[in-house]
Amino acid sequence: MRITRISVYQVDLPLHEGSYKWSGGKSVDVFDSTVVRIETDAGVAGHGEVCPLGPFYLPSYAAGARTGIAELAPDLIGEDPTHIRKLVRRMDALLQGHPYVKSAIDIACWDILGQVSGVPVCVLLGGRYADDFVLYRAISQETPEQMAAKVAGYRSEGYRRFQLKVGGDADVDIARIHAVAAELQDGDRLVADANTGWLMHDAMRVVKAVRDLDVYIEQPCATYDECLSVRRNTNHPFVLDESIDGVSVLMKGFSDGAMDVVNIKISKFGGLTKAAQARDLCASLGIAMTIEDSWGGDITTAAISHLAHSTPTELLFTSTDFNSYVTTSIADGAPQRNNGRLAASTEPGLGVAPRFDVLGEPVAVYQ
Ligand code: MG
């Protein structure tokens, strides 16, 4: 099988809440997402999506995804999309770094391999665990009272895991964590995600002030070493996200005892191939995971669902259903949240059919 055409689509994804706010005053109103369609000489087509969390979260930005694909795609015409690890090595040889650029292409190849194999991608990634898996809800940064009210509202929709966006003024963040913790019920889990927003002294004040609360601390500071310093001075369960962007730092984190949970975002690692490699390594090492992506719509949510659903249940701390955050549906067949949980499609491949009436004409075609 050979790749005959790669088409790229751009789509805007507005938010039900109007905006999404996190550390350092960062905010996005409309997400700029990129969908890739890979066609083959066998008549099978696969799809992938990549959507950075604005240009200031990871070293990635929406137009950069499309520019990077323009760099790669002409050289991928004629490659076999079902030889995925070989194709990933080819992409790495063509373009140093820029993992997010490769993510949608990699996902589309898994979609093709699943379709030609007649099985869902989660089966290719190791097998389906249980009927469904648990989601968290991200609570955009607002006042302590507004965030506590959001948690109560989202719990009534079935969510039981909540990730507070903190990483602002330490005193306000302490109030945010206390206000939300007061709303929690038995079985709820609370994560305070600073998204690199605190200096070490801020982080130490916060963890001391919430010492008696049952709360996970996620990525308090900008660098791995700063986070490790905080980690060594607190007894809260500890999550690393932004600092863990590949296997070598993951191994270092394990050997340093730097975290209890790792956040694996598909595009941060460069696609399902490398995210699954990190997932399998974490599973072997006993490190629990949040499995998700930076952002996205229906196709990203489908890709997440296959990686999450093929992760051993006890090792999957939580996952995300971005398609319920955004107002625009870009594909039929994507998984839909039910009582705070999600399940991967049982159809071959990703199980999604893009809505080309929504995506419009491609912004670029390579053939
Ligand atoms: Mg995070």
Side-chain angles (χ1 to χ4, degrees), residues 235-286:
N235 54 11
H236 289 284
F238 210 82
V239 188
L240 285 182
D241 182 350
E242 286 90 330
S243 288
I244 306 293
D245 58 1
V247 165
S248 62
V249 69
L250 177 59
M251 294 301 294
K252 179 170 169 54
F254 176 72
S255 118
D256 289 345
M259 70 280 169
D260 307 294
V261 181
V262 164
N263 187 314
I264 295 177
K265 292 183 163 75
I266 294 171
S267 61
K268 184 174 65 176
F269 282 81
L272 280 171
T273 305
K274 290 186 178 181
Q277 181 192 29
R279 184 276 307 270
D280 292 337
L281 190 55
C282 284
S284 294
L285 296 171

Side-chain angles (χ1 to χ4, degrees), residues 57 163 165 193 195 218 241-242 263 265 292:
Y57 171 63
Q163 189 196 77
K165 290 298 160 189
D193 187 356
N195 287 113
E218 179 162 341
D241 182 350
E242 286 90 330
N263 187 314
K265 292 183 163 75
E292 57 170 349

Side-chain angles (χ1 to χ4, degrees), residues 7-30:
S7 305
V8 180
Y9 300 82
Q10 186 278 330
V11 63
D12 287 339
L13 301 175
L15 294 161
H16 287 293
E17 286 194 1
S19 68
Y20 182 73
K21 305 186 196 79
W22 69 102
S23 69
K26 293 187 275 290
S27 173
V28 172
D29 297 334
V30 178

Side-chain angles (χ1 to χ4, degrees), residues 48-247:
E49 180 182 5
V50 61
C51 184
L53 188 63
F56 29 49
Y57 171 63
L58 292 170
S60 60
Y61 65 107
R66 296 186 285 272
T67 302
I69 291 166
E71 187 75 23
L72 283 173
D75 289 311
L76 299 179
I77 303 300
E79 293 285 334
D80 188 331
T82 64
H83 293 208
I84 299 181
R85 288 177 180 79
K86 185 179 169 196
L87 187 133
V88 166
R89 286 181 66 85
R90 175 91 176 120
M91 289 199 286
D92 286 343
L94 290 165
L95 180 66
Q96 175 95 245
H98 301 275
Y100 74 110
V101 163
K102 302 158 185 170
S103 189
I105 294 170
D106 174 278
I107 292 167
C109 291
W110 282 96
D111 188 22
I112 290 170
L113 181 59
Q115 291 177 57
V116 301
S117 307
V119 296
V121 169
C122 64
V123 173
L124 299 176
L125 293 175
R128 185 186 300 265
Y129 289 85
D131 294 333
D132 56 14
F133 57 87
V134 66
L135 299 167
Y136 78 84
R137 186 75 192 196
I139 306 298
S140 181
Q141 193 171 102
E142 310 277 356
T143 66
E145 297 72 26
Q146 287 168 321
M147 292 174 82
K150 286 269 174 63
V151 164
Y154 283 120
R155 185 196 293 98
S156 72
E157 295 183 18
Y159 289 105
R160 301 299 301 274
R161 300 190 177 192
F162 306 98
Q163 189 196 77
L164 303 188
K165 290 298 160 189
V166 288
D169 177 87
D171 291 307
V172 180
D173 285 336
I174 291 166
R176 287 176 172 125
I177 296 167
H178 277 283
V180 169
E183 291 289 329
L184 296 183
Q185 298 176 2
D186 285 349
D188 290 351
R189 298 280 187 96
L190 181 62
V191 178
D193 187 356
N195 287 113
T196 75
W198 293 324
L199 295 174
M200 287 183 285
H201 72 102
D202 297 320
M204 290 312 305
R205 287 189 62 234
V206 174
V207 296
K208 187 171 175 224
V210 302
R211 175 178 290 161
D212 296 328
L213 300 179
D214 181 8
V215 58
Y216 292 64
I217 302 296
E218 179 162 341
Q219 190 76 35
C221 303
T223 66
Y224 175 88
D225 289 329
E226 290 167 279
C227 289
L228 182 60
S229 169
V230 176
R231 154 75 166 180
R232 286 179 169 159
N233 288 287
T234 176
N235 54 11
H236 289 284
F238 210 82
V239 188
L240 285 182
D241 182 350
E242 286 90 330
S243 288
I244 306 293
D245 58 1
V247 165

